[in-house]
Amino acid sequence: MNAEQRIIVPLDVSDLQSAIALVDRLPQVDFWKVGLELFTSTGPTILELLKSRQKHIFLDLKFHDIPNTVAGACQAAARYGVDLLTIHATAGKDALKAATEAVQTGAAHAGVQPPKLIAITLLTSISARQLAFDLKIPLELPEYALEMALLAQETGLDGAVCSPQEVAQLRQTCGDDFLLVCPGVRPTWADKADQKRSLTPAQAIKAGADYLVIGRPITTAADPELAWKRISEELTTVA
């Protein structure tokens, strides 16, 4: 996997027309993330469009529900032939197990490869203070993220989503075969916005990330193509 293939760019727009415009603007991007806003707006139409262009897809819907509902949703999502799919680790062991079985079933029925199912450990917008005072979690943030990743690994998931600041510990503990996807990655020249736990792209790769989700530093840049090129060049020194 080359450096550019490690970068996932979110289609954080509200409608199909805007999504197509962004995909057209950045033809070099191989891996796109479709999240709640765009999928709720367009349904599977955007996935079909990306597939028709031979793009890889991260369907980031962060399922979080009772086991039966999660299983149904994962089975349906697996039929789309996406590459990555997310579920919250806090859905619990039963839901995670049901999800891992459901993606296999859904993909088999559709005759496609099952997606890699990855767990959300903790949203990257949440700080250590918020974890303690708002969510009343008594663990230190790195320990909590690790426990959620281990829960996912124990229940057969393929990997986890974590902030760059937790990735080194998760890589060391979970091993090389556990997929680690890092949002909240920000080049030194970009605004951190609402990301509380950030590293630069090169730092995140060095720490053990497999994929980096990099959105606004690219998509809202004055020149998105130039921003993409700058980040790709930075990664070629470490990838």
Side-chain angles (χ1 to χ4, degrees):
M1 185 164 53
N2 65 35
E4 290 185 354
Q5 290 171 318
R6 289 174 174 259
I7 305 170
I8 302 173
V9 180
L11 280 168
D12 286 340
V13 292
S14 58
D15 59 78
L16 188 63
Q17 191 174 357
S18 302
I20 292 169
L22 194 51
V23 173
D24 285 342
R25 183 85 190 264
L26 290 164
Q28 317 93 311
V29 175
D30 172 65
F31 217 136
W32 291 96
K33 180 169 88 75
V34 175
L36 276 171
E37 182 180 10
L38 186 58
F39 190 79
T40 303
S41 170
T42 70
T45 305
I46 181 59
L47 307 181
E48 291 159 8
L49 182 135
L50 290 169
K51 294 284 283 186
S52 73
R53 298 189 184 199
Q54 287 77 52
K55 301 296 185 183
H56 288 96
I57 303 169
F58 176 10
L59 185 56
D60 186 26
L61 300 182
K62 298 184 177 74
F63 293 137
H64 191 286
D65 216 310
I66 62 172
N68 191 56
T69 303
V70 160
C74 285
Q75 187 166 324
R79 296 188 192 121
Y80 296 133
V82 299
D83 300 276
L84 298 176
L85 183 67
T86 44
I87 179 172
H88 276 283
T90 48
K93 190 175 285 187
D94 290 345
L96 295 176
K97 281 183 179 173
T100 60
E101 293 164 9
V103 293
Q104 299 296 325
T105 306
H109 285 167
V112 296
Q113 284 291 315
K116 299 285 189 186
L117 189 62
I118 55 176
I120 305 294
T121 54
L122 183 68
L123 298 173
T124 53
S125 57
I126 294 176
S127 66
R129 181 178 176 80
Q130 289 167 327
L131 184 72
F133 289 96
D134 298 345
L135 302 185
K136 313 299 182 191
I137 305 276
L139 300 178
E140 292 293 330
L141 192 152
E143 185 186 354
Y144 177 77
L146 178 60
E147 290 295 338
M148 292 300 101
L150 288 171
L151 176 66
Q153 190 173 40
E154 287 163 15
T155 44
L157 271 72
D158 299 293
V161 180
C162 64
S163 95
Q165 292 185 7
E166 289 99 59
V167 74
Q169 184 185 21
L170 266 61
R171 175 60 68 214
Q172 184 178 359
T173 308
C174 297
D176 291 338
D177 295 332
F178 197 63
L179 202 63
L180 295 176
V181 178
C182 289
V185 175
R186 292 289 181 265
T188 53
W189 39 268
D191 179 15
K192 283 190 172 52
D194 56 1
Q195 301 296 344
K196 301 289 197 302
R197 312 189 318 273
S198 188
L199 289 180
T200 70
Q203 287 170 333
I205 291 291
K206 282 179 183 173
D210 292 297
Y211 291 102
L212 310 178
V213 179
I214 307 176
R216 280 167 284 188
I218 296 170
T219 57
T220 65
D223 186 338
E225 296 96 325
L226 180 60
W228 163 264
K229 188 179 177 187
R230 285 180 72 182
I231 292 170
S232 297
E233 287 173 352
E234 180 184 333
L235 287 184
T236 55
T237 63
V238 291

